[in-house]
Amino acid sequence: MSATARLPVDERGRPLFELPDELAIDTDVARRVIADFIRGQLRQAGFERLVLGLSGGIDSALVAYLVSEAIGADKLLAVLMPYRTSSPASRGDAEAVIAALGCSSELVEITAMVDGYFGAGGEAGAGGPDAAAAASLRRGNFMARMRMSVLYDKSAAFGGLVVGTGNKTESLIGYTTLFGDSACAFNPIGDLYKSQVRQLSAAVGVPRQVIAKAPSADLWPDQTDEGEGAFSYPLLDRILYWRIDRRRSTDELVAMGFELALVERVERLVATSEFKRQVPPIAKLGPRTAGVDYLYPRRRPGSART
Amino acid sequence: MQTLRIALAQLAPRLGELEANLERHRTVLGSARRDGADLVVFPELGLTGYLLQDLAAEVAMRLDDPRLAELAAETAGGVSAIVSFVEESGDHRLFIAAALLEDGEIRHVHRKVFLPTYGQFDERRFFAPGDTIRATPSDLGVGVGIAVCEDFWHLGTPLLLALDGAQVLINVSSSPGRDLAARNEVGLGTATSWRTLMRTYAQLTTSFVVFVNRVGIDESMTFWGGSEVIGPSGEPIFSAPFFDDDVYLVDVNLEDVRRERIALPLLRDERLELQARELGRVIAERAGLATDSTADAGAEPGMDVATSRAPNRASDRASTMGDSGEPIRLRTRRNRAASR
């Protein structure tokens, strides 16, 4: 059975996206596991509601749909956090998701927060003259962390946990901002590659224009993930899948037909971003140290909010 | 017809909440008894939840714990039950235990022998391994063999239980589901592997196989359920849905064991003394106490395969002749990640 046979198509009959055969998942099972996961996380934490940042992109749209399936859209708060240069189309797509789901939403412009630090209109901000000349990477990371700050404040105000929306591909190559977009209470799609996110999005009914558009962090105008990294997601996903999930060596990947330079570049990205995927190490000094030899599940009797 | 009614308690235990889980067990046991069940099977660590880590010592019970006695008392009305919990022994080892409760008492305790400590599992860090695999007689009129999850990923377990007199092999599990690849027969790689194992064991031991797997989540893990009863010919009799928290009643005809064992006398034809003899030889050779007559030339004592010939590269595997001209025994591997 070819997985591509069941993919949604555009008006010309072409698939909306490419799904490598080995990455195709059983979306019914995935939806059930994720729904149970979301409900279980909430129950153990003593919460009933969830908050997420809705960007207009496919990852957060998919999570909004999965949360709505698991606990109902009425228990979800979607927060839109555009910066002044954010694409208006992204906002339109986010609003389409909100309208389709019927969840509540809030709009929080982060422009004043970001410009207050980096400065705007020739005026230096709190970050000083150096910050005014900051490269887009610094600005992008700062924006992601401002959005995190807003989400965690809304979490307290709304009484909902922050649900993560990062996918496995971007996590593995480190295409995330530490303590920014990767910050969350739990993540239902963090073990799905981008290609699988697209497949599952089609299955749950994420709007077609959200699935079809080029993925972008939308940190500056016309930015796209694939343009920035010079890769295609299906190819990147396949390399990561065979290298990590299926433990193939570099030599074996090359023998399978992958380009050596690309494989080595992906391996470097994975290795250099390892720190982003782990809890920071604590210097071991005492008899019992969290994460080393003090090992408890995150939630146990007495853990839930009362 | 000698019918046995088995209740498969495919429950979602609450992690670390012993009292809540005890209450759920009592409730399920009571209603299953009223539904005419002869045997109620609860999942691995159903009384405590699975991913306990350092909580294990806090929820552990001695076999003389009054809470266990109270639960066992529920079986006084003529129903048998298999329950699983953290057992603390007199010398303070912690075991993953599964106990057969009958006539108001603990009739038999199996301590999980194989503790997976690889991949997503870390059991050996927190638990001691059991040292026995034994069948037990039961009020059900048939010998019962109890195993816990990973015990069934070792061929010796079902064989020993069947040879020791079990006609019903019971595996209680906390198996986390993973690998959602669409090519999997039932949408879940773990389930596909387990289903293959249970059908194979039932057929090869010509015994009933009862599998009870929990549902619900602990941390990142989602347990998939899919509890089953397989007949002695390897045919599935009942397959529970995945992920649903529920109790399923299954009637089996124990005469199927006789029918199958007469038609297919595999157990009759087992060569125990041959197995024991050859195992004894392998054990002595592995320990370096005997010359290994089946080892590659140049292999270290006890290693069987010479270092220089370890087939870990594709180019090495292509040749079947070693440097010395001796034929190398080709070792083939399953090309698929093991799923549990």
Side-chain angles (χ1 to χ4, degrees), chain A residues 121-196:
Chain A
E123 295 281 314
D130 162 65
S136 55
L137 180 70
R138 281 176 62 188
R139 291 177 170 273
N141 280 335
F142 194 87
M143 285 183 221
R145 294 186 182 114
M146 286 302 101
R147 292 187 173 116
M148 178 277 294
S149 293
V150 171
L151 282 180
Y152 273 85
D153 180 61
K154 294 297 177 189
S155 166
F158 182 67
L161 290 176
V162 176
V163 56
T165 61
N167 65 64
K168 186 171 185 170
T169 310
E170 65 183 20
S171 170
L172 284 173
I173 63 170
Y175 198 60
T176 61
T177 296
L178 191 60
F179 310 123
D181 57 321
S182 61
C184 61
F186 62 85
N187 182 340
I189 64 162
D191 205 17
L192 293 178
Y193 289 109
K194 192 75 174 188
S195 304
Q196 297 168 329

Side-chain angles (χ1 to χ4, degrees), chain A residues 209-229:
Chain A
Q209 75 267 22
V210 175
I211 298 175
K213 72 182 174 183
S216 168
D218 200 8
L219 295 171
W220 51 86
D222 298 325
Q223 179 193 25
T224 65
D225 298 0
E226 287 159 313
E228 202 176 351

Side-chain angles (χ1 to χ4, degrees), chain B residues 14-333:
Chain B
R14 302 226 164 175
L15 188 59
E17 298 183 32
L18 196 51
E19 291 305 327
N21 294 325
L22 278 162
E23 180 58 35
R24 183 89 200 275
H25 276 55
R26 281 193 293 268
T27 306
V28 168
L29 192 50
S31 63
R33 189 178 50 207
R34 283 190 295 280
D35 290 336
D38 302 296
L39 172 67
V40 188
V41 185
F42 293 92
E44 176 186 16
L45 293 178
L47 287 172
T48 62
Y50 176 75
L51 203 67
L52 293 161
Q53 300 179 289
D54 284 348
L55 269 180
E58 295 170 36
V59 297
M61 291 187 284
R62 305 286 190 102
L63 290 181
D64 61 1
D65 191 293
R67 291 168 295 187
L68 274 182
E70 196 184 331
L71 188 57
E74 306 271 335
T75 63
V79 65
S80 302
I82 293 169
V83 302
S84 176
F85 52 95
V86 178
E87 178 203 350
E88 180 171 346
S89 60
D91 61 356
H92 310 299
R93 282 181 290 167
L94 303 179
F95 296 98
I96 297 175
L100 173 66
L101 311 180
E102 282 185 338
D103 269 342
E105 294 176 348
I106 298 175
R107 176 66 59 86
H108 173 83
V109 176
H110 172 73
R111 301 182 175 111
K112 187 175 188 177
V113 171
F114 295 101
L115 301 172
T117 306
Y118 56 81
Q120 66 184 321
F121 303 106
D122 203 14
E123 293 182 16
R124 190 66 178 86
R125 178 182 177 87
F126 302 100
F127 296 104
D131 288 313
T132 57
I133 294 174
R134 286 180 192 166
T136 176
S138 73
D139 288 350
L140 304 170
V142 67
V144 166
I146 301 171
V148 179
C149 203
E150 185 87 355
D151 290 339
F152 257 33
W153 282 79
H154 293 265
L155 279 170
T157 305
L159 180 64
L160 281 169
L161 291 173
L163 291 172
D164 201 27
Q167 299 185 16
V168 180
L169 310 185
I170 298 168
N171 185 286
V172 299
S173 281
S174 286
S175 169
R178 56 210 178 277
D179 185 5
L180 304 182
R183 65 177 180 280
N184 289 319
E185 179 194 358
V186 286
L188 195 60
T190 326
T192 306
S193 300
W194 266 107
R195 289 157 66 97
T196 303
L197 291 185
M198 290 183 293
R199 284 152 183 70
T200 305
Y201 292 160
Q203 172 75 93
L204 293 182
T205 64
T206 46
S207 305
F208 283 99
V209 170
V210 177
F211 172 70
V212 173
N213 185 31
R214 65 163 286 189
V215 291
I217 68 157
D218 284 352
E219 308 282 296
S220 298
M221 298 179 180
T222 300
F223 301 91
W224 55 278
S227 301
E228 289 202 300
V229 177
I230 315 293
S233 64
E235 285 293 310
I237 293 170
F238 173 79
S239 301
F242 292 177
F243 307 115
D244 288 351
D245 181 315
D246 211 339
V247 180
Y248 304 94
L249 293 171
V250 184
D251 289 341
V252 303
N253 180 358
L254 290 176
E255 287 162 23
D256 287 348
V257 174
R258 176 175 188 271
R259 223 183 324 277
E260 187 66 20
R261 288 185 179 187
I262 286 182
L264 191 66
L266 302 179
L267 283 181
R268 180 196 72 186
D269 295 347
E270 276 300 336
R271 295 284 306 279
L272 301 195
E273 80 297 339
L274 181 151
Q275 293 199 30
R277 192 167 64 239
E278 296 296 346
L279 280 172
R281 174 182 63 77
V282 172
I283 289 166
E285 291 173 357
R286 280 198 174 189
L289 299 173
T291 305
D292 193 335
S293 54
T294 63
D296 289 343
E300 281 177 65
M303 294 303 282
D304 252 281
V305 180
T307 306
S308 60
R309 293 195 196 140
N312 55 7
R313 299 185 65 88
S315 55
D316 296 339
R317 280 201 298 274
S319 166
T320 57
M321 298 297 279
D323 297 338
S324 62
E326 293 280 317
I328 294 175
R329 294 191 306 283
L330 282 179
R331 280 166 162 71
T332 55
R333 306 173 183 183

